[in-house]
Amino acid sequence: MPPTRAARRPAATELPAEPTQARRFGKARTAQSTALLEDYAELIADLLASGGEARPTDIARRLGVSHATAIKTIARLKREGLATARPYRGVFLTEAGEALAARVKSRHRLVVDLLRAVGVPSEAAEQDAEGIEHHVSDTTLLAFGRFLKAHG
Amino acid sequence: MPPTRAARRPAATELPAEPTQARRFGKARTAQSTALLEDYAELIADLLASGGEARPTDIARRLGVSHATAIKTIARLKREGLATARPYRGVFLTEAGEALAARVKSRHRLVVDLLRAVGVPSEAAEQDAEGIEHHVSDTTLLAFGRFLKAHG
DNA sequence: AACTAAATGTAGCCTAGGCTACACTTTGGC
DNA sequence: GCCAAAGTGTAGCCTAGGCTACATTTAGTT
Ligand SMILES: [Mn+2]
Ligand SMILES: [Mn+2]
Ligand SMILES: [Mn+2]
Ligand SMILES: [Mn+2]
């Protein structure tokens, strides 16, 4: 049996166990990587619903990025089967894309509503929801819904 | 006066005005870029408090990334004046780093508490807070505090 | 004190997501 | 119908943040 190295210091007491914490951080990283796709899907659905078209330039303007950046992300949406695009003709959502957009939109609304229900001013609620929404699990969403039903 | 191009389609009605929406997305992107630094600062502070040392390998294990990744991010912390490190001797926080860690830690706790107060189960609250915390503004934090004082 | 395992650091690779610059289509105003 | 302005697409650059592979240093056991 090879000699085992002694622990260099006593185990931490206040932190979550290592694997637990690592799993949490990992999930948060995953959520982050899908956040952008979610925002695009939601925005494209809104543009299609309200104006009939979702053009790269419109998308870029709404997001505050360059049109080149928008086009690249649209390419990722296509790669992941969420959107299609005909050159010079705008962007469309696949079924998967529409489903994602619907989920994201309802989640966005629910997050804003919950924030407002606990007393967050409108503009802050709208602002913070834009980031928060991507990290709200189904479990949490359910709790939000119940809370709003009871109060609100 | 050069001819101006007519709008290609009517303005959307349900979306926030363009500059507003772009500003929101931009802020969310900024929050995202500081999220990792916040998590590192918080974790390093916890490790220092509980064990006296914050070693790259410990940090990496806790975060669920390779030690090489942790070392690179620690380099960024140093670049941004949040941490110092003596080779083979661990990582330390500067005053700015400690201040950040303190803010982040209290915000983390407050977010978890609020989620639980509105009925989110513990584990989901802990999980989701890890991502949500980075998108909670001071305004929202204040509202959370008031809510918890009232209910809770 | 030597030896070996662990920790640490470095190098190099990849992808995502920003950007600017430039080329090519489309289209509205004349 | 022309043609300039707007929109679209492509290329090439950058940084952040992952990774693996390998080199170097430290330290526990003997
Ligand atoms: Mn969002
Ligand atoms: Mn949204
Ligand atoms: Mn976090
Ligand atoms: Mn945290």
Side-chain angles (χ1 to χ4, degrees), chain B residues 2 5 8 33 36 55 64-69 72-73 76 79 88-89:
Chain B
R5 190 188 210 203
R8 201 198 301 245
S33 91
L36 195 68
R55 297 299 188 117
V65 298
S66 73
H67 81 276
T69 295
K72 260 203 206 173
T73 306
R76 189 178 158 209
R79 244 186 299 142
Y88 295 94
R89 280 284 168 290

Side-chain angles (χ1 to χ4, degrees), chain A residues 5 8 33 36 64-69 72 76 79 88-89:
Chain A
R5 190 188 211 204
R8 203 198 298 246
S33 92
L36 195 67
V65 298
S66 73
H67 82 275
T69 295
K72 259 202 207 176
R76 189 178 158 208
R79 243 185 301 144
Y88 296 94
R89 281 283 168 290

Side-chain angles (χ1 to χ4, degrees), chain B:
Chain B
M1 192 170 98
T4 47
R5 190 188 210 203
R8 201 198 301 245
R9 58 178 175 68
T13 52
E14 345 162 340
L15 275 72
E18 232 169 71
T20 300
Q21 197 172 21
R23 188 164 13 83
R24 283 182 195 155
F25 280 121
K27 281 194 191 174
R29 280 193 300 271
T30 299
Q32 192 45 53
S33 91
T34 60
L36 195 68
L37 296 180
E38 293 180 343
D39 283 334
Y40 270 73
E42 185 183 6
L43 176 57
I44 291 167
D46 282 344
L47 288 170
L48 288 174
S50 60
E53 291 194 328
R55 297 299 188 117
T57 302
D58 296 335
I59 297 169
R61 249 200 312 263
R62 292 276 174 185
L63 290 166
V65 298
S66 73
H67 81 276
T69 295
I71 287 174
K72 260 203 206 173
T73 306
I74 290 164
R76 189 178 158 209
L77 286 171
K78 290 192 265 183
R79 244 186 299 142
E80 312 220 352
L82 296 168
T84 57
R86 305 204 318 286
Y88 295 94
R89 280 284 168 290
V91 183
F92 306 90
L93 294 174
T94 62
E95 287 219 1
E98 294 211 41
L100 176 61
R103 254 182 297 138
V104 167
K105 191 185 177 89
S106 103
R107 197 186 50 190
H108 184 121
R109 208 172 23 231
L110 202 48
V111 169
V112 170
D113 288 349
L114 181 108
L115 290 175
R116 293 180 41 78
V118 300
V120 177
S122 279
E123 179 48 32
E126 294 287 352
Q127 170 65 68
D128 292 2
E130 204 49 74
I132 289 174
E133 57 178 356
H134 308 288
H135 299 277
V136 173
S137 63
D138 287 347
T139 302
T140 296
L141 216 52
L142 241 158
F144 282 8
R146 273 195 293 261
F147 180 87
L148 286 170
K149 196 141 209 170
H151 316 62

